[in-house]
Amino acid sequence: REQPQPFFWDAPVDHFAPPWETKATFRQTYFVKEDYYSHGGPVFFELGGEGPIEGPPDGFIEALAKERQAMLVVVEHRFYGGSVPN
């Protein structure tokens, strides 16, 4: 079975910083699984819990995605795994 590849985005450290301040960011990890997705279908989003994420959601939420032709997205919670602000 092929190992899923993570994606990264530059997440803001402080979402409420005033516009004149430098916008500090950190690399936040996420996974996307489109195996069952049909154009116009729903997107099922999962926020990672208190630990690192290692791939897209599976189990019950994956079964629902298959049934509903949904895209699966999971984002690693900040301060867990590699998603740690400096």
Side-chain angles (χ1 to χ4, degrees):
R1 183 174 169 190
E2 187 177 319
Q3 188 69 10
Q5 294 300 307
F7 295 95
F8 304 93
W9 76 293
D10 292 327
V13 173
D14 183 355
H15 293 273
F16 303 104
W20 57 85
E21 287 187 6
T22 302
K23 303 290 187 200
T25 61
F26 68 98
R27 260 174 58 124
Q28 191 167 24
T29 306
Y30 69 98
F31 287 90
V32 175
K33 186 171 187 174
E34 298 177 306
D35 294 6
Y36 316 114
Y37 183 67
S38 178
H39 181 75
V43 176
F44 292 171
F45 176 82
E46 179 177 271
L47 177 61
E50 296 179 347
I53 59 171
E54 297 176 356
D58 56 8
F60 182 66
I61 193 169
E62 184 179 27
L64 285 177
K66 188 173 184 179
E67 178 183 301
R68 304 287 182 183
Q69 299 179 323
M71 180 185 306
L72 291 167
V73 179
V74 62
V75 176
E76 189 167 67
H77 197 290
R78 66 170 60 199
F79 301 115
Y80 294 96
S83 300
V84 179
N86 295 336

